[in-house]
Amino acid sequence: MVLNDNHERYRLLMENLPNAFACHQVLLDDQGNPVDFLFVDVNPAFEKLLNLTKEQIIGKKGSEILPGIERSNADWTAIYSQVALTGQTARFEHHCTLLGRTYEATVFAESDECVSVFFQEITERKRAEEKLQESLDKYRLLVENLNEIVYTLNEHANITYVSPNVESIGGYTPGEMIGRPFTDFVHPDDLAGRMEQFYQILTNSGEATEYRVLTKDRRIIWVRTAARPIIRDGRPVGLNGVLIDITEQKTAEKALKASEKRYREILATMEEGYYEVDLAGNFTFCNDSLCEKLGYSKEELLHKNYKWIYKNPEEVFQTYHRVYRTGVPEKAACWPVITRNGTELFAEVSITLRRDEQGRLTGFRGVARDITERKRYEEELLYLSMHDRLTGLYNRAFFEEEMERLAGSREYPITVISADLDELKHINETMGHAGGDELLKACAVVLRRSLRRSDIIARVGGDEFAVLLPGTEAQAGRGIAERIRANADLHNQAHPGLPLSISLGIATAEDKSASLEETYKKADNLMFREKQARRKANH
C-alpha cells in the first residue's frame, strides 16, 4: 500500500514538473559497449519539448526520436552509460540545433542500466550571459584603447584595478600597481591634500584635480583625474576614476605664460603706445607708454571709446570700419590727438583685427607712435622748400610753380610785378651783410603790406622780388605798384638811417594767349629800365 502511494506521488510529481524529464535504459552491444539508449518514461513537459506524445516516444531509441544525435556536441550514450555504471550525477549544457534552444541537463542513475534526466531550459539565461560577455569584451576593448587610464580604488585608497594602458604612461604594469595605495605614485611635493581629496570624492563632493606623479623611471609627469564614489548598500566602498597625462598641456601652458610675461614686459618697456579695443571701439587694454603720451591713467582710458581722444573721430571710424570689412591691416599716417591737458599731438596709428582662440573677431589692436616732432620737422622742411629763409617770402621755385599753375587757370587777366632793391651791393660794402639783410627784410615787409591776401610774392634772387596778381587788370596793377612806392616812402620817413629804394616793372597778360613767362620778362625789363634811370639820377 505504501509502495503504491509512493509510486503515485512520484507519478504526480513527474507529470507536474515544469522541467522536461525522461527515463532511459542504456543499450549495450555484445561486447558490453553502450551503443544507444531507450526511452522508458517521459513526463508531459518532455512531450511538449519534442512535440510528440508519450506513446510516440516510449520504447523508441534515442537515435530514432532524436535523429542526428550522434553529431551532437555531447555524447549522450556515453554519458548515460557512465552515470549508470558509477552512480555519479552528471550536469552539462546542451544546445539543441533542431529546436534552437539551450538546456542544462542533470543525469542521475536509477540502476546500473537506467538513468533519469531533467532538462531545464536556459536559452534566455545563455543569451543574457552572452550579451553580458559581449558587453564586457567591448568595455575591456574600450578601456584598453582609451587615452585615459581607468582605475578603481577601494575605501582604503588602494588600487584594485587599473587599465593596461597605464604602462604606456607611467611604465608600471597593472600587476605592479594593484594592491598599493595610489599615493605611492604621487610626487612628494604634491602629496599634501591627496587623501583629503580622496575622502571628499567618497562623499561625492570632490572635483577633478591636477597633480604630478612619478613614473617607474622617476620621470615627473602631470595628470588630471576625476572620479566618482562606488556605493554599495548605501555606503561608499571605493571610487572609479579616469586619469589622463596632461604633461604636454602643462608644458605648453608654462611656455605660454612665459611668452605672455615677455610680451607684457615688451609692452611695458616699448616707447610706442600699444592699445586694444573691442568691436565698439572701447579700450580694453593699453600700455603705460600710451597713457604717458596722452596724459591719462589706465583707469581713465579703459572702457572709454577711442573717438574720445581724436580730433577727427569720423575719419578714424571710417578707417576702423574698413579694416573690419576687408580684414586688411592699415596704418593711419597722421591723426590729431587731444591729450589730457588739451595740447595737440599727431599720431601714426596701426590697426589690425583681433581674434579669440576660436577665430572669432573680438576687436582691434595696434601701435600708436607720437610723430608730432616729425610732422613739425616735415612741415618745416616743406616750408623751407617753398620759402626764402631770410625774408619769409616764397622762393623762386615756388614762384615758377605758381606761374605755371596760373598759366592754365581761369584767373586772367594776371599782372606781374618785378621789383628790385636798389643799391644792395653798396649797402653790403658800406654797412656789412647784416645791414643788407635788414634792408632786404624791410623791403619784404613793405611789399607784403602793399599786396592783397590772394597775391603771390617771392624773393627770386639776391635783391630781386616778383609778384603775381591773379585777376588783376593793368590799371589795378599800376595802383598796387603806386601803393608799394607809397609804403616805401612811409618806411623811409620812419627809418631815415636805412632808406629803401625799390625799382618796379609792371606787365599784364590779358588772357591765355599771352605767356606768363614772357609777361614776367617784360615786367623785368621795365624794372631794369627804371633801375637804370634811378641810378643815373642818384649818380
Side-chain angles (χ1 to χ4, degrees):
M1 182 68 178
V2 174
L3 185 61
N4 290 336
D5 290 342
N6 288 339
H7 180 78
E8 182 63 19
R9 281 197 295 270
Y10 172 79
R11 185 185 63 79
L12 290 172
L13 177 63
M14 291 301 102
E15 288 181 354
N16 290 281
L17 272 176
N19 297 331
F21 166 80
C23 183
H24 302 298
Q25 178 185 348
V26 179
L27 300 178
L28 306 175
D29 61 12
D30 294 340
Q31 285 75 37
N33 297 318
V35 293
D36 207 338
F37 58 89
L38 194 70
F39 281 91
V40 177
D41 193 11
V42 296
N43 69 347
F46 193 89
E47 292 179 273
K48 185 178 180 181
L49 174 65
L50 296 184
N51 198 24
L52 295 172
T53 65
K54 182 181 291 190
E55 290 74 15
Q56 293 174 312
I57 298 173
I58 292 176
K60 302 291 180 63
K61 294 179 181 180
S63 56
E64 294 176 316
I65 299 300
L66 302 169
I69 193 172
E70 68 277 2
R71 296 189 300 274
S72 172
N73 61 339
D75 189 347
W76 294 87
T77 303
I79 294 171
Y80 291 165
S81 175
Q82 184 69 22
V83 171
L85 287 173
T86 63
Q88 294 180 347
T89 302
R91 183 177 286 109
F92 60 94
E93 294 179 2
H94 171 66
H95 179 73
C96 182
T97 306
L98 182 64
L99 300 175
R101 314 295 287 177
T102 303
Y103 299 91
E104 182 181 70
T106 303
V107 186
F108 59 92
E110 290 279 358
S111 65
D112 56 0
E113 292 184 358
C114 293
V115 296
S116 292
V117 188
F118 285 99
F119 296 92
Q120 181 179 1
E121 186 177 352
I122 58 171
T123 305
E124 296 305 320
R125 191 186 80 189
K126 290 297 291 184
R127 288 174 180 171
E129 289 175 354
E130 289 171 357
K131 288 183 179 180
L132 177 60
Q133 186 60 47
E134 182 181 353
S135 177
L136 289 173
D137 291 341
K138 288 180 179 178
Y139 173 75
R140 185 181 299 106
L141 183 64
L142 176 64
V143 167
E144 290 176 357
N145 289 278
L146 280 175
N147 290 328
E148 294 86 353
I149 295 169
V150 179
Y151 65 89
T152 302
L153 305 180
N154 64 16
E155 57 189 326
H156 304 296
N158 295 326
I159 300 170
T160 58
Y161 172 79
V162 62
S163 53
N165 57 345
V166 70
E167 189 171 1
S168 64
I169 296 177
Y172 292 100
T173 64
E176 293 172 316
M177 300 182 73
I178 290 175
R180 295 172 63 180
F182 82 95
T183 51
D184 284 358
F185 307 96
V186 177
H187 190 282
D189 293 344
D190 290 348
L191 275 172
R194 294 283 75 79
M195 288 306 298
E196 288 81 357
Q197 183 198 20
F198 170 77
Y199 289 119
Q200 285 176 355
I201 295 174
L202 282 184
T203 59
N204 208 23
S205 59
E207 296 181 351
T209 189
E210 299 174 358
Y211 54 85
R212 291 167 294 175
V213 300
L214 292 172
T215 65
K216 190 173 183 178
D217 57 4
R218 311 307 290 174
R219 288 183 301 108
I220 300 173
I221 63 173
W222 276 92
V223 298
R224 180 187 295 119
T225 180
R228 289 293 180 267
I230 301 171
I231 306 297
R232 289 179 188 160
D233 299 327
R235 60 179 292 270
V237 295
L239 58 84
N240 286 322
V242 292
L243 177 146
I244 189 170
D245 182 355
I246 59 169
T247 306
E248 290 186 3
Q249 176 186 328
K250 281 292 185 179
T251 303
E253 288 176 358
K254 184 177 180 181
L256 178 60
K257 287 180 180 178
S259 176
E260 288 179 345
K261 183 181 178 181
R262 288 195 298 271
Y263 169 71
R264 295 301 177 185
E265 287 175 348
I266 290 171
L267 291 182
T269 57
M270 66 189 292
E271 292 186 6
E272 292 86 355
Y274 176 82
Y275 73 91
E276 292 178 0
V277 297
D278 59 23
L279 290 174
N282 300 316
F283 284 99
T284 57
F285 176 81
C286 57
N287 67 349
D288 293 338
S289 180
L290 184 67
C291 294
E292 291 172 5
K293 293 180 187 301
L294 297 178
Y296 293 100
S297 67
K298 286 188 177 181
E299 291 72 21
E300 290 174 314
L301 275 181
L302 290 180
H303 310 301
K304 294 286 195 314
N305 196 275
Y306 63 72
K307 294 182 181 179
W308 182 49
I309 63 172
Y310 289 108
K311 282 187 69 176
N312 56 336
E314 187 57 34
E315 179 187 353
V316 174
F317 170 77
Q318 292 299 332
T319 306
Y320 274 88
H321 182 67
R322 190 164 54 249
V323 172
Y324 173 81
R325 191 180 68 253
T326 64
V328 179
E330 290 196 24
K331 181 182 289 185
C334 192
W335 278 347
V337 177
I338 304 301
T339 65
R340 195 178 194 279
N341 62 13
T343 60
E344 181 179 281
L345 60 83
F346 292 90
E348 180 184 78
V349 182
S350 65
I351 307 167
T352 305
L353 288 175
R354 188 161 56 93
R355 300 177 183 273
D356 61 16
E357 294 178 353
Q358 287 72 42
R360 294 171 300 199
L361 289 176
T362 58
F364 306 86
R365 64 159 59 95
V367 174
R369 295 181 178 88
D370 182 358
I371 60 167
T372 306
E373 291 302 318
R374 189 180 82 185
K375 178 175 173 58
R376 287 173 182 165
Y377 180 69
E378 289 173 350
E379 288 176 346
E380 184 177 350
L381 288 179
L382 179 62
Y383 179 86
L384 292 176
S385 71
M386 297 188 298
H387 291 79
D388 172 53
R389 184 185 293 270
L390 177 65
T391 63
L393 302 179
Y394 288 118
N395 58 20
R396 185 180 191 91
F398 182 82
F399 179 81
E400 290 176 350
E401 288 179 4
E402 283 299 289
M403 194 162 57
E404 183 178 348
R405 180 182 68 83
L406 289 171
S409 72
R410 298 180 180 180
E411 299 190 50
Y412 286 88
I414 299 172
T415 296
V416 181
I417 298 176
S418 178
D420 192 275
L421 180 61
D422 299 331
E423 302 300 333
L424 179 62
K425 182 179 179 183
H426 177 70
I427 296 296
N428 284 334
E429 290 174 351
T430 58
M431 300 181 64
H433 284 282
D437 289 347
E438 287 300 317
L439 199 62
L440 283 168
K441 288 190 281 187
C443 182
V445 171
V446 168
L447 291 171
R448 189 184 294 114
R449 186 180 297 160
S450 304
L451 299 175
R452 300 163 298 187
R453 188 179 295 275
S454 60
D455 298 334
I456 300 163
I457 178 172
R459 182 186 177 193
V460 295
D463 55 1
E464 298 174 21
F465 299 85
V467 180
L468 289 170
L469 305 173
T472 305
E473 296 177 347
Q475 184 175 353
R478 286 191 293 271
I480 291 173
E482 290 304 318
R483 190 157 63 237
I484 293 172
R485 292 189 178 100
N487 284 330
D489 290 340
L490 290 174
H491 171 83
N492 292 339
Q493 292 174 15
H495 303 85
L498 193 63
L500 279 175
S501 176
I502 305 175
S503 298
L504 301 173
I506 307 162
T508 301
E510 298 295 337
D511 53 40
K512 291 183 180 181
S513 63
S515 166
L516 278 183
E517 187 175 349
E518 293 299 323
T519 302
Y520 173 54
K521 288 180 180 179
K522 182 178 179 181
D524 198 48
N525 289 334
L526 291 172
M527 177 275 296
F528 184 73
R529 290 179 190 176
E530 182 173 302
K531 189 177 185 69
Q532 290 294 97
R534 282 174 176 274
R535 187 174 293 169
K536 289 179 182 180
N538 290 334
H539 180 72

